Amino acid sequence: MTPMVLTLQEDPDAPARPIRLGLSTGRNALIEHLETMALFGVSHVSFNLRPNDRPVEELLQELAEYVLPRFPASGA
């Protein structure tokens, strides 16, 4: 399990930049980062979505629609 502070930018193509204990990024760079983490054996990531400039509900919707489908549960 790896915790990560995540500031998800509105621009899906915003590049990833490190912030304290995590990343500020667009969803496409987040997907790339998570794919790299998976190559190194990370199988669980928890996101801390506060503080953020966007409503948490909006962030959750974007993660559910675009990011999570790229990482199906093992055996699913």
Side-chain angles (χ1 to χ4, degrees):
M1 172 68 126
T2 301
M4 175 190 298
V5 174
L6 176 63
T7 302
L8 193 60
Q9 302 298 314
E10 283 192 57
D11 176 4
D13 295 315
R17 66 175 179 80
I19 59 173
R20 187 172 188 273
L21 304 175
L23 287 176
S24 177
T25 185
R27 70 174 174 251
N28 294 324
L30 174 62
I31 290 167
E32 290 177 19
H33 185 79
L34 294 172
E35 288 171 341
T36 300
M37 291 176 71
L39 290 175
F40 287 107
V42 175
S43 59
H44 293 82
V45 177
S46 68
F47 297 123
N48 180 350
L49 300 176
R50 295 193 190 267
N52 247 294
D53 294 334
R54 298 168 59 193
V56 171
E57 295 79 12
E58 186 178 310
L59 301 173
L60 291 173
Q61 177 62 38
E62 185 171 350
L63 290 169
E65 188 173 342
Y66 297 101
V67 179
L68 293 180
R70 300 289 298 266
F71 303 93
S74 181

